[in-house]
Amino acid sequence: MAQVKLFGNLRQYYEQRQLTAAGDTIGAVLAELCAESSAFCAAVTEDGALRPFIKITVNGRDIQLENGLDTAVTDEDTVAIFPPIAGG
Amino acid sequence: MHGWSGKILDIDLSSGSVETRPLDMEIARQFLGGRGLGARLLWDLVGPEVEPLSPENVLIFTTGPITASASQTSNRFNVSSKSPLTGTILHANSGGWWGMQFKRTGYDVLIVRGRAEKPVMIEIAPEGVKIADASHLWGKGVFETTELLGQNRNKRNVMCIGPAGENLVRIAAIMNDGERALARGGPGAVMGSKNLKAIVVEGKEKNQPADKDQFKFMQYETGKLLKASPLTSQALPEFGTAVVMNVVNEIGALPTRNFQQSQFEHADRISGEAITDEILVKNQACWACPITCTRISKTASGNEGEGPEFETAWAFGAQCGIDDLDLITEANFLCNDMGLDTIYMGNTIGCAMELAERGLLDSDLRFGQAEKLQDLVRDTAYRQGIGDELAEGSVRLAAKHGAPELSMTVKGLELPAYDPRGMQGQGLVYATSNRGACHETGNMLGPEVLALPRLIDRFATQGKAGIVSVHQNSAAVIDSLVYCKFANMAVAEEFFARTLTAVTGEPYTADDLMKVGERVWTLERLYNLREGFTKEDDTLPDRLLNDPVVAGPSAGFTVNLAPMLEEYYQFRGWDENGVPKEAKLKELGLDTLRSS
Ligand code: SF4
């Protein structure tokens, strides 16, 4: 199972900050998380696509530059999901 | 006034003269205000022969045409000078209230020259301008000085230096409204060298838009955009600027232990999320700002104040291998009271820690020693013990102990919180920034990490030069208007141009603004060239060019600077030595300057 880390206000939807998910693509991982929390699902997705400014990385690589929701995920991977963030 | 009052207040502390001079409106139109106008005035006033801490150096405080107009984030102002830390052009800007209040005194610019014989302060009020004795304030911290001088948010605003500036610490900041800082490059030391403790302003004049209806419409439209964007309406208010800590860490670009690693195992403990969960009391906004990104925090000892921002939490945190948020915050408060640049301070402490761990500095200082932070900050401000060495900057510190390569600086200015081995474009930003390594002058966090406006490959180098140049020009014009760059995350230059038109009554387009940005950037480059800087200074610390990141998502990468730099010079219309070509200078209206 891949490790899933949540950041910012996405942490409010689950008891832990770090979860595990069995899906073999980002889309499948999200589906699993959505099954547990519809509020999380609404915060992150809209009509099956990611909301603007939601950032997801697999081992630090942004899925936008990989295969989007079809990006492959293995048990050794760490998935990080960020809400819209700004600063610096 | 509609944008500009057309007046410069010119004070010579050596002679005590106070003069009002007209602002050349042709120059004002070309450079707008803030950083651009400051650079243009500095060009005429401070040449290569001037030593930064001598009476011949000047402090030029500039507002912009939109300052105090009540357009969203129109609170900011700028200081320009020659840097005592780097010898480059110095520009620094700050928010809060002081800039707005100074504009209300009826001046666009304040120039301070010379050196007073004993400590003085300047008071600018409707009754007139006074230079008064400040001997009773010398030695006092920023918080006490600000209070004693009657800080009153919307009526009377205090800007001052702390002990660091008095003691000519090369990275001393000038603090306004208690806790806002004109920080980078050491303007506080220049102010200290002039024996100038404080500048207090009270004003009654208004920056009224030439076209009130259009201005109101633009305020409404800007407000809508700021509200609609989750970046400015949720992310910044909810978690502050340090919300980017985790993402920068996650991608392997968070410099750790003096850039020896690019991920910090305890990043979450010093993140925006941790600040909100553990120490946040409330948010605060600068004048006329609906974004409210500022944190008011409280430590375990009961101290309350502004901070920490992302850069500060990183500098005292990951850079020093420290995960104690409470002590990081205490160090932040102390820097504010002493009048010190937090980025510099943390970065230099990290350098000292590495020197000591390698046995090059005779000290028991080690990474992770949170309990030593406050003593190190205080010692730096008062130039005591090891603090006297820290006060000189990490370039001088590392060189003195035989390891110049351990100073994480560009052109003598300490690097901020992004490891460019994981963000190649940021490497080019650091290498070419006119005031030395700086993220505020064209931050690539947007395109390389946050997908603002869209995501580009952070490891790629080809094509980065153009994007970096556009970002640098944009930052330069925002600093000249002067807006807060966070507003630009939701509001495009087009909107700034329309607001500027409404305020001044003079037509500006987004293209005009970008041209101003390019003009400002190029003039700063000319200034540094005149000071003797060359292409050789457009570089990065050895570690970033030659030591690949050892682990994490950026493992194996160094910064591939040379091809980006070559492309950059071409894109900017500079020759292979980084000197702007005649045709470019003509296009920007700077050709007469170079020959002058
Ligand atoms: S966004 Fe933050 S720093 Fe910028 S003006 Fe608003 S409160 Fe000040």
Side-chain angles (χ1 to χ4, degrees):
Chain A
M1 300 242 265
Q3 299 288 318
V4 180
K5 296 193 215 170
L6 301 177
F7 295 97
N9 56 19
L10 298 180
R11 288 177 175 173
Q12 65 185 304
Y13 303 113
Y14 300 91
E15 303 227 318
Q16 295 103 354
R17 288 170 182 189
Q18 204 154 334
L19 313 162
T20 52
D24 57 2
T25 63
I26 287 295
V29 166
L30 283 181
E32 206 179 316
L33 295 175
C34 281
E36 276 182 56
S37 168
S38 56
F40 167 83
C41 206
V44 172
T45 63
E46 189 175 27
D47 300 331
L50 287 181
R51 282 186 177 276
F53 302 120
I54 296 291
K55 183 179 177 76
I56 301 182
T57 61
V58 179
N59 304 329
R61 294 273 185 165
D62 196 305
I63 62 161
Q64 273 195 52
L65 298 179
E66 306 289 324
N67 286 324
L69 294 178
D70 294 330
T71 303
V73 179
T74 68
D75 285 358
E76 285 72 48
D77 289 337
T78 301
V79 175
I81 308 179
F82 298 89
I85 50 177
Chain B
M1 86 180 98
H2 301 314
W4 297 279
S5 68
K7 287 193 287 183
I8 296 176
L9 179 61
D10 194 339
I11 296 179
D12 187 335
L13 293 175
S14 297
S15 66
S17 82
V18 175
E19 278 178 41
T20 298
R21 294 199 288 113
L23 171 66
D24 180 332
M25 289 311 295
E26 195 43 45
I27 286 181
R29 280 182 202 103
Q30 274 195 323
F31 293 91
L32 295 180
R35 174 175 155 193
L37 183 57
R40 179 61 188 85
L41 296 172
L42 191 75
W43 175 268
D44 287 344
L45 292 174
V46 178
E49 70 289 353
V50 173
E51 204 279 313
L53 294 178
S54 72
E56 286 70 38
N57 198 4
V58 300
L59 285 168
I60 306 172
F61 297 95
T62 46
T63 59
I66 62 100
T67 308
S69 66
S71 173
Q72 288 90 341
T73 79
S74 61
N75 55 69
R76 300 187 82 86
F77 69 109
N78 168 84
V79 66
S80 296
S81 188
K82 188 196 281 191
S83 167
L85 181 68
T86 63
T88 65
I89 192 161
L90 179 159
H91 61 83
N93 86 38
S94 177
W97 292 260
W98 194 95
M100 166 277 293
Q101 194 70 252
F102 172 63
K103 187 82 172 185
R104 284 184 176 171
T105 64
Y107 296 100
D108 297 313
V109 179
L110 166 65
I111 298 175
V112 183
R113 312 167 189 249
R115 174 182 292 156
E117 271 178 24
K118 56 180 185 166
V120 294
M121 55 178 273
I122 295 169
E123 195 163 351
I124 308 165
E127 301 77 45
V129 180
K130 269 194 317 207
I131 302 172
D133 180 42
S135 306
H136 61 296
L137 298 171
W138 206 252
K140 292 199 189 306
V142 167
F143 300 158
E144 190 182 356
T145 303
T146 303
E147 201 183 316
L148 284 171
L149 291 176
Q151 166 81 8
N152 182 337
R153 239 173 222 177
N154 285 315
K155 289 195 180 135
R156 180 179 165 90
N157 298 81
V158 178
M159 178 165 71
C160 66
I161 55 169
E166 295 172 7
N167 294 322
L168 308 184
V169 173
R170 286 183 195 270
I171 47 77
I174 300 174
M175 306 297 296
N176 63 285
D177 303 298
E179 296 178 283
R180 311 295 308 190
L182 296 153
R184 307 226 72 197
V190 180
M191 192 151 152
S193 76
K194 299 192 171 309
N195 273 326
L196 177 59
K197 178 68 179 176
I199 304 173
V200 184
V201 288
E202 271 183 58
K204 285 207 166 129
E205 301 205 13
K206 290 207 163 112
N207 186 3
Q208 277 172 328
D211 184 340
K212 276 191 188 145
D213 290 341
Q214 179 64 11
F215 179 78
K216 272 199 181 137
F217 176 70
M218 289 314 299
Q219 256 187 329
Y220 172 75
E221 289 293 310
T222 303
K224 265 201 328 201
L225 289 170
L226 292 172
K227 233 187 217 159
S229 164
L231 306 177
T232 45
S233 66
Q234 286 170 29
L236 283 167
E238 207 169 333
F239 295 108
T241 55
V243 72
V244 299
M245 185 79 71
N246 278 318
V247 73
V248 175
N249 189 56
E250 205 58 33
I251 64 162
L254 190 70
T256 300
R257 298 179 186 85
N258 204 31
F259 292 73
Q260 293 184 87
Q261 298 98 32
S262 68
Q263 276 189 315
F264 183 42
E265 61 280 17
H266 302 305
D268 201 30
R269 295 189 194 158
I270 59 170
S271 66
E273 289 92 326
I275 292 170
T276 299
D277 287 349
E278 293 166 29
I279 58 172
L280 181 70
V281 177
K282 60 177 180 186
N283 327 4
Q284 186 170 278
C286 302
W287 185 76
C289 177
I291 303 174
T292 67
C293 80
T294 308
R295 319 272 82 189
I296 301 295
S297 306
K298 193 174 189 171
T299 59
S301 67
N303 287 328
E304 198 172 306
E306 277 190 26
E309 300 287 343
F310 168 56
E311 290 292 341
T312 308
W314 162 78
F316 289 125
Q319 163 70 358
C320 296
I322 289 172
D323 65 355
D324 188 324
L325 183 58
D326 201 66
L327 290 177
I328 289 169
T329 308
E330 288 286 7
N332 185 166
F333 292 168
L334 191 58
C335 278
N336 289 350
D337 196 30
M338 296 289 111
L340 279 167
D341 173 5
T342 55
I343 298 181
Y344 158 86
M345 192 71 251
N347 186 317
T348 302
I349 291 172
C351 174
M353 286 172 164
E354 187 174 354
L355 285 168
E357 286 205 349
R358 289 179 186 270
L360 298 166
L361 173 70
D362 184 17
S363 162
D364 60 358
L365 196 56
R366 294 291 179 269
F367 284 111
Q369 290 176 329
E371 67 285 359
K372 294 217 167 132
L373 285 179
Q374 289 181 71
D375 283 346
L376 290 166
V377 169
R378 202 172 286 110
D379 287 349
T380 301
Y382 289 105
R383 286 185 169 275
Q384 295 165 171
I386 191 181
D388 195 33
E389 291 187 40
L390 300 180
E392 288 294 295
S394 73
V395 169
R396 293 168 178 88
L397 174 77
K400 182 177 169 192
H401 295 282
E405 71 282 4
L406 297 189
S407 165
M408 293 298 122
T409 48
V410 172
K411 299 187 180 79
L413 191 70
E414 278 65 22
L415 262 69
Y418 308 93
D419 189 327
R421 289 170 293 189
M423 293 169 65
Q424 298 285 318
Q426 196 79 316
L428 183 61
V429 171
Y430 289 165
T432 57
S433 170
N434 292 315
R435 68 175 181 180
C438 174
H439 63 297
E440 288 287 358
T441 55
N443 201 342
M444 289 292 280
L445 179 70
E448 289 194 320
V449 181
L450 300 180
L452 274 177
R454 66 187 62 83
L455 193 66
I456 56 174
D457 183 353
R458 62 197 171 92
F459 295 116
T461 53
Q462 210 182 5
K464 285 282 167 77
I467 301 170
V468 164
S469 301
V470 169
H471 268 64
Q472 290 175 331
N473 295 347
S474 169
V477 74
I478 291 171
D479 286 344
S480 302
L481 284 162
V482 184
Y483 274 118
C484 177
K485 293 193 188 85
F486 292 138
N488 191 221
M489 290 183 161
V491 183
E493 284 79 2
E494 172 67 31
F495 284 77
F496 295 153
R498 286 163 67 188
T499 300
L500 180 63
T501 301
V503 172
T504 61
E506 304 199 12
Y508 281 95
T509 63
D511 286 349
D512 293 335
L513 291 193
M514 292 307 284
K515 190 57 87 186
V516 172
E518 188 181 3
R519 185 176 296 126
V520 172
W521 190 270
T522 308
L523 174 60
E524 291 171 346
R525 177 76 179 185
L526 290 180
Y527 189 92
N528 284 350
L529 290 171
R530 194 174 72 175
E531 290 294 319
F533 288 86
T534 67
K535 178 186 180 172
E536 309 307 316
D537 298 296
D538 294 338
T539 189
L540 293 169
D542 245 29
R543 176 167 284 170
L544 306 181
L545 294 173
N546 297 318
D547 297 353
V549 175
V550 282
S554 303
F557 282 92
T558 56
V559 182
N560 189 11
L561 183 63
M564 288 194 289
L565 201 55
E566 196 185 325
E567 199 183 317
Y568 177 85
Y569 289 164
Q570 277 172 15
F571 188 90
R572 282 217 169 270
W574 300 356
D575 69 17
E576 67 281 6
N577 290 317
V579 178
K581 292 181 186 166
E582 210 51 42
K584 179 53 77 178
L585 295 181
K586 267 210 172 88
E587 178 194 322
L588 297 172
L590 294 172
D591 49 323
T592 50
L593 277 189
R594 182 141 84 187
S595 49
S596 67

